[in-house]
């Protein structure tokens, strides 16, 4: 059954992903930080909300849930079992499998940005379409989320888990940060031709105010420095820019790369 996924813009740069099974007027949304833009799309398209997927507790991902629940009292709200967000009707754990909006989803625990962070992975193994990953604020197009609650090791391991999924899958992250992320990526790897070309395409899209997500995991593997800490050019650049030992492990390189990005204003 074909699935349609479309972005609903919220706040300044959030995307709430709306998932719709073709032929159905019931939809799911991922991380509704605000209810108004969701309700507006549902009204305009004559749709009804059957479920909500929460990746982590931050308000810009959950702030709309209460109001959506008032409009759709039967909505199922999936979210992390060990999280702090209280309005969950179906708490899930790592490797749980769910059937939502015509999709079979697997839960992947990805702590780091927050301790409760999970991602939802749709394999679509019996479909010609590539798989889909809804990863909130863990893996971004060209970057990754800040480490607020976890440790760099946790975040590194979470990103590595995602990096081993099939390269053809599409990555649906929750923010439009791609252009700034790629400017940093270019600073880390000035001679990576894939980064140069991607930044050109992304800048063009942003000039037209088009979304730059989803992206393919294979594109992330070629251009996202946070998935490339084992690559010589990335390591060399981090060692030159940050005061860390030349004997640093890939995790230490990752931690320094994240600190570098935290203070990057280019
Ligand atoms: Zn967040």
């Amino acid at each position: 059954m074909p699935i349609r996924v479309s972005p609903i813009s919220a706040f300044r740069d959030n995307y709430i992903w709306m998932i719709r099974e073709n032929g159905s007027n019931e939809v799911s949304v991922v991380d509704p930080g605000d209810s108004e833009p969701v309700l507006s799309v549902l009204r305009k398209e004559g749709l009804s909300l059957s479920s909500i997927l929460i990746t982590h507790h931050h308000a810009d991902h959950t702030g709309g849930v209460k109001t959506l629940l008032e409009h759709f009292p039967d909505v199922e709200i999936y979210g992390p079992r060990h999280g702090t967000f209280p309005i969950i009707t179906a708490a899930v754990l790592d490797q749980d499998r769910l059937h939502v909006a015509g999709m079979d989803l697997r839960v992947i625990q990805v702590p780091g940005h927050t301790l409760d962070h999970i991602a939802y992975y749709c394999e679509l193994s019996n479909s010609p379409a590539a798989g889909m990953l809804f990863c909130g604020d863990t893996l971004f197009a060209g970057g990754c989320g800040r480490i607020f609650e976890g440790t760099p090791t946790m975040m590194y391991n979470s990103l590595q888990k995602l990096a081993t999924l099939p390269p053809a899958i599409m990555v649906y992250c929750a923010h439009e940060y791609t252009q700034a992320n790629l400017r940093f990526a270019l600073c880390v790897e000035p001679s990576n031709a894939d980064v140069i070309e991607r930044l050109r395409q992304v800048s063009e899209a942003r000039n037209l105010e088009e979304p730059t997500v989803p992206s393919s995991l294979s594109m992330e593997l070629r251009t996202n420095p946070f998935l490339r800490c084992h690559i010589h050019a990335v390591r060399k650049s981090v060692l030159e820019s940050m005061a860390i030992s030349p004997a640093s492990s890939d995790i230490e390189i990752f931690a320094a790369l994240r600190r570098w990005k935290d203070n990057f204003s280019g």
Side-chain angles (χ1 to χ4, degrees):
M1 186 69 68
I3 308 282
R4 269 209 343 246
V5 182
S6 45
I8 299 174
S9 293
F11 309 117
R12 216 168 67 89
D13 50 31
N14 281 66
Y15 289 125
I16 299 166
W17 293 106
M18 183 172 83
I19 307 163
R20 181 180 181 185
E21 187 177 0
N22 267 1
S24 166
N25 68 345
E26 296 207 328
V27 300
S28 291
V29 291
V30 184
D31 286 350
D34 194 3
S35 57
E36 202 33 59
V38 175
L39 290 169
S40 154
V41 169
L42 296 179
R43 268 194 299 266
K44 212 174 341 170
E45 300 188 23
L47 301 169
S48 127
L49 185 65
S50 61
S51 55
I52 293 173
L53 299 167
I54 299 292
T55 62
H56 67 295
H57 68 84
H58 280 161
D60 65 323
H61 296 249
T62 56
V65 172
K66 193 164 166 283
T67 304
L68 291 172
L69 188 57
E70 284 161 15
H71 284 79
F72 301 96
D74 296 328
V75 74
E76 190 82 285
I77 305 161
Y78 297 91
R81 177 162 303 176
H82 300 302
T84 52
F85 181 65
I87 320 174
I88 301 283
T89 61
V92 296
L93 287 170
D94 193 36
Q95 301 305 322
D96 276 357
R97 286 173 186 275
L98 345 162
H99 189 77
V100 172
M103 295 184 302
D104 289 311
L105 294 173
R106 176 156 63 85
V107 174
I108 305 176
Q109 205 174 348
V110 284
H113 175 70
T114 61
L115 290 175
D116 67 345
H117 208 305
I118 55 176
Y120 298 91
Y121 172 47
C122 173
E123 286 169 274
L124 282 180
S125 50
N126 54 359
S127 154
M132 294 182 279
L133 176 72
F134 300 94
C135 54
D137 289 353
T138 296
L139 176 61
F140 287 134
C144 75
R146 281 179 187 255
I147 303 168
F148 286 122
E149 295 176 8
T151 63
T153 303
M154 273 182 196
M155 189 66 166
Y156 176 85
N157 289 333
S158 293
L159 290 170
Q160 285 301 305
K161 267 195 217 176
L162 302 182
T164 58
L165 295 172
I169 66 167
M170 298 305 282
V171 177
Y172 293 79
C173 67
H175 286 277
E176 180 59 65
Y177 291 161
T178 320
Q179 195 172 19
N181 284 341
L182 290 173
R183 285 194 186 117
F184 176 69
L186 188 61
C187 182
V188 177
E189 285 189 274
S191 44
N192 181 329
D194 291 324
V195 172
I196 295 166
E197 174 57 16
R198 188 180 185 190
L199 179 55
R200 192 191 63 73
Q201 288 177 12
V202 159
S203 302
E204 232 171 68
R206 291 314 293 154
N207 284 340
L208 301 169
E209 294 181 17
E210 287 169 0
T212 62
V213 288
S215 60
S216 68
L217 181 58
S218 72
M219 175 59 86
E220 297 310 322
L221 293 169
R222 281 181 281 134
T223 59
N224 188 327
F226 294 96
L227 300 181
R228 296 171 58 78
C229 293
H230 59 292
I231 300 283
H232 177 72
V234 173
R235 182 181 183 87
K236 185 164 166 283
S237 190
V238 171
L239 289 177
E240 280 167 8
S241 303
M242 307 296 283
I244 57 168
S245 156
S248 294
S249 67
D250 287 352
I251 293 179
E252 288 161 336
I253 294 287
F254 170 78
L257 182 67
R258 188 56 261 182
R259 286 199 302 279
W260 182 7
K261 173 71 166 62
D262 289 344
N263 298 305
F264 183 75
S265 56

